[in-house]
Each structure stands twice: as structure tokens, then as C-alpha cells.
Amino acid sequence: MEHRNLRTDQPVWTRTLVGWHIVFWVLLGMTLAISFTTELGTTRRIVYTGAVVLLGAAYQFIGLPAVRSRRRLPSYLYRILLIGCLMVLVGLYPQSVFLMFIASAQIWLLCEDVREGAAFSLLLVIGVGTAQLWSAGWGWDTFWSVLPWMAVSLVVSLLFGIWIEKVITQSEQRAELIEQLESARDELAEAHHTAGVMAERERMAREIHDTLAQGMTSIVMLAQTAAVELQRGGTDGAAARLAAIEDTARENLAEARALVAAFTPVALSEATLTEVLRRQAERFAAETGVDVQVSLDLPDEEVAALPQGQQVVLLRAAQEALANVRKHAGATQVLITLGISDGGVWIEIRDDGSGFSPSVSSGGFGLAAMRGRVEESGGSVQVESAPGQGTRVQVLIPSAQEDA
């Protein structure tokens, strides 16, 4: 409790302090007003009025700031003044004892722990009881008549104080929990932001790898082929290669603009997935001399009805598989099959190239990028290959993800 600070107290006292403030001034004003209806001598009335004014000033300038700041020295000073003034008021006018209610509350508002509150409550009861005995002229009969009242007041004060202490403790726990939740929320938001940035970077890397990098690879290979044909004097073949380079460069430029605009493949915005796959196959065959066939196991209108996100994933998977064939396979035939099953829509790219061992990491980005893109769509990638036996890549996207 000694580490209680203003922030943890504020949730309780900022909501209740105005009420305690009003009650204190009302009771103090009532005490002063009622005192003028009784027969008090001039000296006693002056002392009584002075005690009321002193108590009000002490509350306004010492007690109230101490409640807000939780400073120990002002809180001790005010409670001592409070008990002293109350002893004077009760001694001069015993009916002022009803100020015990607000005095007991203020003692507990300023305490740091239960022991401190109990000690000041006991001091308050003893002080007020002593003032009552003095007012009644001392005597054992007066003592025994006042004692039950003192005991009841002390018990009520302790119960009231313990309740206040529990309220403060619960408020501190709630404040600490809220602070932890806010901190966790900020950390989670930061983590989400970081993850979003990383995911966006990875996505951009895949998009660039799947589009611009592959197009640049095609341009390099076509330029090398054209250079060889020019050295051999084959101008017609070189012209055809240059035309293919121009077409590929234009497509790359369009892809770059699409990346900036909406990350959607330009080809799919102008044609169906089936048409784009066939164009890719024709261009690949023209560039490499590899026989590429496209087969559909579902009607073309069903292909066109697939969600745009699925079409993008399927197209990128085919492009990546063809890029790997170009770089590594040394194949003579490639078959691209697009189909649908109970599990969802799938695309398969099979070649008769040199193959590889899937268990051996190649260090390339292609298959990893393909897996990342497909898994983001809830799908899966299967790769079957062996040295000298070609490669089969199948991408499956579940039907449940169609609306994703």
C-alpha cells in the first residue's frame, strides 16, 4: 500500500471526492448553524466558531490537497488537526458528535494501510470520548454511559475503513490490469504492424520474382539467342527474337504498373485464366522450343467463374513452374492441367526434364515463394520428382477458400 500513487487512486477518488467535499461542508455548516441556537457563552462561542473555521481551512488547504497528492506529512498534519478540532467542538457542544461520520471517512481516505487507519480511528474515538467526558464533568457514571458508544463508533469506523481499503485495493488491481492490457494491446498492435510490413515485403518480393524477374530472365535468354544467331548471320531468327524481347518487355512494364496499382496480374484483367495459360504456353514454347500443352478438366466457363484471388494463385504457380523448367529441367515436353475435385480447384505442371531430389534444399526462392502464396490462400503444394525422372508440381486450393 505504501507504493500507492496518484494514478492508481484516481479511478476511485476522482469519482467520489466531490461527494465527500459537499458532505463535509454541509455538515460543517449545519454544525455552525445549530450552535447558534444553543446557549453558549461569548468565550465558548468564539472558541467554537474558531474551531469550525480552523477545521474548514485545514480541510481546504491541507486535507483536500493531501487526499489528491497522497503526501504523508500533510495527511498526518490534517488528521491531527481534525481530531483536535473535533475534540474542541464536542467538548463545547456535545451534539457536534455527528461530525464523527465525516471525520472517520476522511481518516481512512488518507491512510496508507489498515494499521494506520485503525490507529487514527482509535485516536479519534478516544479523543471524542474524552471530550464528551470533559463536557459532562467526568465521573464513572458518565464513563460507563459513553463507553458503549465509543466501542460501537470504533467498530463502525473499522468496518467502514476496511471496506474503503478493499475498494482501493480492487481499484489498484483494476488499474494495473488495465495498464497491462493497454501495454499488451500496444505490443500486439506493434507486432501486427511489423508482421504486416514483413508480409507486404514478402508479397512484393514474390510478385517481383513471379513477374518482373521471370520476364527479365526471358529477355536475357532471348537476347543471348539473338546474339548467337546474328553471329551466324541468321537475321530472320534474330528479328523474331528481338520482337519477342519487345513483347516481353512490354508485358513486364505492364506488370510493373499493375504491381503499383493493385497487385493484380494484367493478363487476368484482360482475359480468362485459360486464355492466359495458353498464351504463356505458346510464348514459352516459342522462346525455348519446349512443347507445352494446356489441358482443362473442367469447362472454360467454370474457370472464368473462379474467384480472382484463386486465379492469381493458379497463374503464378504455373508461371513459377515454367520458370523452373526453363532454368533447370532441360525438358522437351510440359503438360499444364487445370481441374476441379471435391477438395477444390487444382493445377498441375508436369515435365519430362532432369528432375531433382525434393529433400535436398536448392536455396532458390521459386518453390518457397509458390508455397508461401498458396498457403496464404489455404492451399497446399505437392512436388514429386527424382533425378532423371522429370517433375510434377500440383497446387490445390480448397473450395472453402473461394470467398476468401
Side-chain angles (χ1 to χ4, degrees):
M1 294 295 297
E2 293 185 359
H3 297 289
R4 181 187 305 153
N5 53 39
L6 179 59
R7 178 173 179 177
T8 56
D9 286 337
Q10 280 182 345
V12 175
W13 306 125
T14 53
R15 295 195 300 268
T16 61
L17 193 55
V18 174
W20 290 113
H21 189 70
I22 294 173
V23 170
F24 172 80
W25 287 113
V26 168
L27 291 179
L28 198 62
M30 289 175 56
T31 302
L32 185 61
I34 294 174
S35 68
F36 281 96
T37 64
T38 62
E39 294 294 335
L40 287 177
T42 303
T43 303
R44 287 197 169 195
R45 189 176 301 280
I46 292 174
V47 174
Y48 190 91
T49 303
V52 171
V53 173
L54 177 60
L55 179 57
Y59 175 74
Q60 184 65 34
F61 299 107
I62 302 176
L64 192 59
V67 172
R68 292 170 175 165
S69 67
R70 313 305 298 172
R71 295 176 60 189
R72 296 180 64 85
L73 183 59
S75 70
Y76 279 107
L77 176 60
Y78 173 72
R79 281 177 288 184
I80 292 172
L81 288 173
L82 172 64
I83 294 172
C85 289
L86 200 58
M87 289 177 63
V88 172
L89 295 176
V90 173
L92 296 176
Y93 181 52
Q95 286 77 3
S96 302
V97 73
F98 64 83
L99 285 174
M100 281 275 291
F101 166 74
I102 192 65
S104 179
Q106 290 181 358
I107 282 175
W108 283 98
L109 289 178
L110 290 165
C111 78
E112 292 294 327
D113 53 39
V114 175
R115 290 177 298 177
E116 181 182 315
F120 271 99
S121 295
L122 180 61
L123 183 61
L124 173 66
V125 171
I126 293 175
V128 172
T130 302
Q132 285 185 313
L133 288 174
W134 179 82
S135 177
W138 302 103
W140 285 106
D141 291 339
T142 304
F143 173 78
W144 291 114
S145 64
V146 171
L147 183 61
W149 173 87
M150 293 174 60
V152 171
S153 298
L154 181 60
V155 170
V156 172
S157 178
L158 291 176
L159 292 176
F160 181 71
I162 292 172
W163 173 76
I164 289 179
E165 186 69 19
K166 288 185 177 180
V167 171
I168 293 176
T169 301
Q170 291 176 355
S171 176
E172 289 177 338
Q173 292 173 349
R174 285 195 297 268
E176 183 178 357
L177 179 59
I178 290 173
E179 185 176 357
Q180 291 175 353
L181 290 175
E182 289 178 349
S183 177
R185 182 188 62 186
D186 294 340
E187 292 177 1
L188 185 60
E190 180 65 23
H192 283 170
H193 174 72
T194 303
V197 171
M198 295 301 297
E200 190 64 19
R201 289 177 179 174
E202 184 178 351
R203 182 183 178 188
M204 284 293 297
R206 286 200 304 265
E207 291 288 348
I208 293 173
H209 177 271
D210 293 345
T211 56
L212 304 183
Q214 292 179 12
M216 293 299 179
T217 301
S218 298
I219 291 173
V220 170
M221 294 185 67
L222 288 170
Q224 291 174 342
T225 305
V228 172
E229 292 184 353
L230 285 174
Q231 290 176 355
R232 295 176 179 176
T235 55
D236 293 339
R241 302 298 181 191
L242 290 174
I245 289 174
E246 181 181 358
D247 292 340
T248 303
R250 290 182 184 279
E251 289 186 11
N252 256 27
L253 178 60
E255 288 285 0
R257 289 171 176 168
L259 286 176
V260 175
F263 297 119
T264 300
V266 173
L268 287 179
S269 66
E270 300 172 351
T272 66
L273 176 61
T274 304
E275 294 172 346
V276 175
L277 287 174
R278 285 176 176 152
R279 290 178 188 173
Q280 292 281 330
E282 292 173 359
R283 190 175 75 179
F284 188 85
E287 293 173 356
T288 63
V290 177
D291 180 22
V292 183
Q293 300 294 326
V294 177
S295 173
L296 297 181
D297 284 353
L298 71 166
D300 193 44
E301 56 271 15
E302 291 188 20
V303 178
L306 293 174
Q308 182 78 2
Q310 284 190 350
Q311 295 190 45
V312 171
V313 174
L314 295 172
L315 174 60
R316 293 306 190 211
Q319 289 176 328
E320 180 58 40
L322 289 176
N324 289 336
V325 171
R326 181 197 302 270
K327 297 174 187 177
H328 311 296
T332 60
Q333 291 184 338
V334 176
L335 175 62
I336 302 174
T337 306
L338 185 65
I340 193 168
S341 63
D342 293 339
V345 61
W346 53 269
I347 190 169
E348 180 182 283
I349 303 93
R350 185 190 296 268
D351 68 72
D352 62 352
S354 58
F356 66 100
S357 177
S359 61
V360 178
S361 176
S362 63
F365 185 75
L367 282 177
M370 182 192 299
R371 289 185 187 277
R373 182 190 298 276
V374 173
E375 289 173 358
E376 284 181 0
S377 301
S380 60
V381 178
Q382 290 184 350
V383 179
E384 296 179 2
S385 184
Q389 299 183 16
T391 302
R392 171 182 169 273
V393 177
Q394 185 182 68
V395 173
L396 173 65
I397 303 178
S399 301
Q401 301 294 326
E402 290 182 4
D403 298 329

